[in-house]
Amino acid sequence: MVNIRRYENNPVVTTADVPPSREDFEVVCAFNAGVTSFGDETLMLIRTAERPAQEDGWVVFPVFNAETGETEVHRLRLDNPDLDVSDPRVIHHGLLRYLTSISHLRLARSKDGLNFTVDAEPAIEPASEYEEFGTEDSRITCIDGVYYIDYVGVSHLGVTTCLAKTTDFVTYERVGMVFCPDNRDVVLFPEKIGGKYAAYHRPAPRAIGTLSMWLAYSPDLIHWGGHRHVIEPRADMWDNCRVGAGAPPIKTDRGWLSIYHGATFDDWYCLGTLLTDLDEPHKVIARSTQPLLKPEADYEMKGFYGHVVFTCGTTLDGDRLRIYYGAADTVMAVAETSLSGLLDDLR
Amino acid sequence: MVNIRRYENNPVVTTADVPPSREDFEVVCAFNAGVTSFGDETLMLIRTAERPAQEDGWVVFPVFNAETGETEVHRLRLDNPDLDVSDPRVIHHGLLRYLTSISHLRLARSKDGLNFTVDAEPAIEPASEYEEFGTEDSRITCIDGVYYIDYVGVSHLGVTTCLAKTTDFVTYERVGMVFCPDNRDVVLFPEKIGGKYAAYHRPAPRAIGTLSMWLAYSPDLIHWGGHRHVIEPRADMWDNCRVGAGAPPIKTDRGWLSIYHGATFDDWYCLGTLLTDLDEPHKVIARSTQPLLKPEADYEMKGFYGHVVFTCGTTLDGDRLRIYYGAADTVMAVAETSLSGLLDDLR
């Protein structure tokens, strides 16, 4: 059994630590942060979900308008018979879908990786028609000194993955859309494999197919192909409904180690480990049968969307692996384990 | 109103014209052919759907096994309470999906574009784990003297689009998977745009999003990115549920002309026309408000899956445009119109 220890002062970031981006919005979730070591600091790009004040008898929700460049406030009457707001995350209005909140990415810095200071302004926020419902879960991968940030862009056209890059975490250059709908949980490998960039991704097929992890290659980080299936959900296990990459893969002597997430049909999200071939990372060497981390703590069980632990990034210091994770879709937490221990467990 | 004329001897290919690939299979559909002019001939790569003989009390269906290289015959008892065979195309077995038939691509040749001779053997047939349920609807695009054939590969992992190429329609080189699940209705443009190859594609998002046509670019025809949305379904029209590219786009003075398909929520499939910008073909110049072709003829209304007209290819001779189309998911038919007439209609 792997020894994993939650930080005693979890959560490390809550909504109270994140000032809203405008006065009429409240921050409802600060979670699923991309994470990287940068100089002597640990940086997080926190998915910060905001919404306008609610009004009696209405659901009030934000939508970014790419033509005006403004985030607008929309309202629908709760007694509308075509309306379903039973999912706290999604508004079903007939065939239309909206999100109850809009997310941007907010930078937070820490010297010790445990105590974070959150910027006052967004780092990456909705800027195109493909981001009208928000810019969500990011992953950060440093390749040859450049920090690539992939993030989810959501609109009524679908759930896409877009790419930005930075060298200083002050200015960010948008590269564009890299995976078309539906695709999220994209993690870039930190180096080329066989002469090409590589990524795990998680398409969400509609008619036939499972919510599986796939591998793709790219000559330039923009254009992706050569898709290979990696892992799919396992019947009767903690990852029986969906799986997706979590943190960017870590290179080890024995293969690429990934912390991934799996969920059940009733949306319990756990973390697990996956070891894949160094040269052909669609080939699985080992996969944890038990969850590495499952929702147990109060801040993991209760929140905007309960019983969820979900990682988008880790930091490695010698053998000490810190796993940063969103808990209950509401806050950021951290757990610590040893890389060698994870690898031993996968023997 | 556009003048379009069905060929009086439609259909031009029926299942009776296509010998089965093995003695214990019957051909149930010969439809949705990719089409090209090649030398003095018109060639079709016909989607040929086959199934084993059915047995009382059972549904009997084919699945390609990539490990053995053989197509195996599977059986499920019809009184199985988890079984749903109400859709003639798909078997629902609990959470699992199978297809009732398995498709390969079969070459047919014609000197006059109307009378076709069908090869005895498959041209492209299932060969990988991503094709266990078949190789389906193809499109053929000639770029710089090479004929690129994209086709749909279906497996329990999802609906993907794969690429092959040929210069002689005798041997075919497989290039690999170009679009991950769910993606079909991929058409390559016949030339580079802005220095890159281009394609329309039709992802099928699961959670949020419509069944829309998208554009993507590629440096090498293998890796795709820079995705842009093109058109989505239109409420209260003949294409209110789904749209997808049909035949590869035709370059005209006024823009790229595409014959696309649209369907309603009760699965009536019609053809329409779309004119897009020559340099930025995600920008729509015009789109037909009325269907160019809608199911009316007996062979379009009745068959394996009725009220469907669906094109994967055209041929152009001067101003005469021949639209080849699958009818009722069962046979191949052809209709003739004038390119200038289509363009006039889009003014």
Side-chain angles (χ1 to χ4, degrees):
Chain A
M1 202 57 194
V2 178
N3 185 21
I4 186 164
R5 191 175 61 80
R6 288 169 175 83
Y7 174 47
E8 60 268 26
N9 293 328
N10 269 348
V12 292
V13 175
T14 73
T15 56
D17 302 320
V18 186
S21 68
R22 47 190 265 189
E23 281 181 9
D24 58 334
F25 279 13
E26 62 168 336
V27 173
V28 286
C29 317
F31 66 130
N32 295 7
V35 179
T36 189
S37 298
F38 181 72
D40 62 348
E41 291 186 312
T42 299
L43 302 185
M44 296 201 293
L45 281 169
I46 301 169
R47 174 176 167 191
T48 301
E50 299 179 299
R51 71 177 173 198
Q54 297 302 296
E55 298 164 19
D56 275 352
W58 298 80
V59 58
V60 188
F61 57 98
V63 177
F64 174 74
N65 182 329
E67 289 186 12
T68 63
E70 300 293 329
T71 295
E72 299 169 349
V73 173
H74 293 234
R75 285 169 183 77
L76 286 169
R77 285 188 63 90
L78 284 171
D79 59 5
N80 183 325
D82 293 334
L83 196 67
D84 176 358
V85 292
S86 58
D87 186 324
R89 304 166 300 183
V90 185
I91 299 162
H92 292 72
H93 183 220
L95 293 170
L96 302 176
R97 301 284 176 275
Y98 302 99
L99 300 188
T100 55
S101 64
I102 191 164
S103 291
H104 65 263
L105 306 181
R106 187 79 66 94
L107 188 72
R109 301 169 179 276
S110 173
K111 292 287 186 192
D112 62 4
L114 299 170
N115 296 281
F116 284 86
T117 307
V118 181
D119 275 5
E121 301 287 333
I124 292 177
E125 57 189 335
S128 84
E129 64 181 302
Y130 305 111
E131 300 169 359
E132 65 181 355
F133 296 164
T135 52
E136 303 187 347
D137 309 352
S138 64
R139 275 80 170 183
I140 307 170
T141 303
C142 182
I143 309 175
D144 297 334
V146 177
Y147 292 79
Y148 292 92
I149 300 152
D150 70 71
Y151 62 91
V152 175
V154 184
S155 74
H156 80 279
L157 299 170
V159 176
T160 69
T161 296
C162 302
L163 186 66
K165 61 183 178 179
T166 187
T167 53
D168 57 12
F169 288 92
V170 176
T171 58
Y172 302 87
E173 181 186 337
R174 307 266 182 144
V175 177
M177 190 187 300
V178 288
F179 288 93
C180 68
D182 260 4
N183 215 315
R184 53 164 75 234
D185 301 327
V186 173
V187 297
L188 302 177
F189 285 68
E191 60 184 63
K192 287 185 179 179
I193 298 170
K196 291 204 177 70
Y197 298 101
Y200 288 138
H201 60 106
R202 214 290 301 282
R206 186 186 186 106
I208 298 179
T210 56
L211 291 161
S212 290
M213 274 174 64
W214 289 69
L215 175 72
Y217 291 101
S218 174
D220 54 15
L221 291 166
I222 299 169
H223 306 90
W224 293 87
H227 303 279
R228 302 295 299 261
H229 182 264
V230 184
I231 58 168
E232 64 185 319
R234 294 177 292 194
D236 304 325
M237 292 185 73
W238 52 275
D239 53 1
N240 66 358
C241 173
R242 57 181 68 203
V243 293
I250 299 165
K251 194 175 190 180
T252 77
D253 290 346
R254 290 187 45 218
W256 292 103
L257 180 76
S258 294
I259 314 292
Y260 76 97
H261 68 263
T264 57
F265 283 96
D266 51 356
D267 273 353
W268 281 67
Y269 278 77
C270 296
L271 301 181
T273 54
L274 177 71
L275 189 67
T276 52
D277 187 85
L278 284 178
D279 300 320
E280 295 179 285
H282 67 281
K283 294 186 177 170
V284 175
I285 297 169
R287 180 176 174 187
S288 59
T289 52
Q290 297 299 317
L292 170 64
L293 196 72
K294 63 181 173 183
E296 285 171 348
D298 193 57
Y299 55 87
E300 297 162 351
M301 292 297 289
K302 295 177 191 164
F304 187 78
Y305 200 79
H307 41 80
V308 174
V309 294
F310 190 98
T311 187
C312 296
T314 59
T315 59
L316 185 65
D317 183 5
D319 190 49
R320 186 192 70 193
L321 184 72
R322 280 184 171 158
I323 301 170
Y324 293 84
Y325 63 99
D329 276 14
T330 307
V331 296
M332 281 303 301
V334 60
E336 213 171 276
T337 184
S338 94
L339 182 62
S340 57
L342 293 185
L343 290 169
D344 284 346
D345 185 61
L346 287 170
R347 274 186 203 282
Chain B
M1 202 58 192
V2 178
N3 185 21
I4 186 163
R5 193 176 59 81
R6 289 169 174 82
Y7 175 47
E8 61 269 24
N9 292 326
N10 270 346
V12 292
V13 175
T14 73
T15 57
D17 302 319
V18 185
S21 68
R22 47 190 266 189
E23 281 181 8
D24 58 334
F25 279 13
E26 62 167 337
V27 173
V28 286
C29 316
F31 67 130
N32 295 6
V35 180
T36 189
S37 297
F38 181 73
D40 62 349
E41 291 186 312
T42 299
L43 303 186
M44 295 202 292
L45 281 169
I46 301 168
R47 174 175 168 191
T48 302
E50 299 179 298
R51 69 176 175 199
Q54 297 302 296
E55 299 165 19
D56 274 353
W58 298 80
V59 57
V60 188
F61 59 98
V63 177
F64 173 74
N65 182 330
E67 289 185 12
T68 63
E70 299 294 329
T71 296
E72 299 168 350
V73 173
H74 293 234
R75 285 169 182 77
L76 286 168
R77 285 187 63 90
L78 283 172
D79 59 7
N80 182 326
D82 293 333
L83 196 67
D84 176 358
V85 293
S86 57
D87 186 325
R89 305 167 299 183
V90 184
I91 299 162
H92 291 73
H93 182 220
L95 293 170
L96 301 176
R97 301 285 176 275
Y98 302 99
L99 300 188
T100 56
S101 63
I102 191 165
S103 290
H104 64 263
L105 306 182
R106 187 78 67 94
L107 188 72
R109 302 169 178 277
S110 173
K111 292 288 186 193
D112 62 4
L114 299 171
N115 296 282
F116 283 87
T117 307
V118 181
D119 276 6
E121 303 287 333
I124 291 176
E125 58 189 334
S128 83
E129 64 181 302
Y130 305 111
E131 299 169 0
E132 65 181 354
F133 297 164
T135 52
E136 302 187 347
D137 309 352
S138 64
R139 273 83 171 183
I140 307 171
T141 303
C142 183
I143 309 175
D144 296 333
V146 178
Y147 292 79
Y148 292 92
I149 300 152
D150 71 71
Y151 61 92
V152 174
V154 184
S155 74
H156 79 280
L157 299 170
V159 177
T160 70
T161 296
C162 302
L163 186 66
K165 60 183 180 179
T166 186
T167 53
D168 57 13
F169 288 92
V170 177
T171 59
Y172 302 87
E173 180 187 337
R174 306 267 182 143
V175 176
M177 190 187 300
V178 288
F179 287 94
C180 68
D182 262 5
N183 215 315
R184 54 165 74 235
D185 301 327
V186 173
V187 297
L188 302 177
F189 284 68
E191 60 184 64
K192 287 185 179 181
I193 298 171
K196 292 202 176 72
Y197 298 101
Y200 287 139
H201 59 106
R202 214 290 301 280
R206 186 187 187 106
I208 298 179
T210 56
L211 292 161
S212 290
M213 274 175 65
W214 289 68
L215 174 73
Y217 291 101
S218 174
D220 53 15
L221 291 167
I222 299 170
H223 306 90
W224 293 88
H227 303 277
R228 303 294 301 260
H229 182 264
V230 184
I231 58 168
E232 63 186 321
R234 294 177 293 194
D236 304 324
M237 293 187 70
W238 53 275
D239 53 2
N240 65 358
C241 174
R242 57 182 68 204
V243 294
I250 299 165
K251 194 174 190 178
T252 78
D253 290 344
R254 289 188 43 220
W256 291 103
L257 180 76
S258 295
I259 314 292
Y260 77 97
H261 68 262
T264 57
F265 284 97
D266 51 356
D267 273 352
W268 281 67
Y269 278 77
C270 294
L271 301 181
T273 53
L274 177 70
L275 190 66
T276 53
D277 186 85
L278 284 177
D279 299 320
E280 297 180 282
H282 67 281
K283 294 185 177 172
V284 175
I285 297 169
R287 180 176 174 187
S288 59
T289 52
Q290 296 301 316
L292 171 65
L293 196 72
K294 61 181 175 183
E296 286 171 347
D298 193 57
Y299 55 87
E300 297 163 350
M301 293 296 289
K302 295 176 191 164
F304 186 77
Y305 200 80
H307 41 80
V308 174
V309 294
F310 190 99
T311 186
C312 298
T314 59
T315 59
L316 185 65
D317 183 4
D319 191 49
R320 187 193 70 195
L321 185 72
R322 282 183 170 159
I323 301 169
Y324 293 84
Y325 63 99
D329 277 13
T330 307
V331 297
M332 281 303 301
V334 59
E336 213 170 276
T337 185
S338 94
L339 182 62
S340 56
L342 294 186
L343 290 170
D344 284 345
D345 185 61
L346 287 171
R347 274 185 203 282

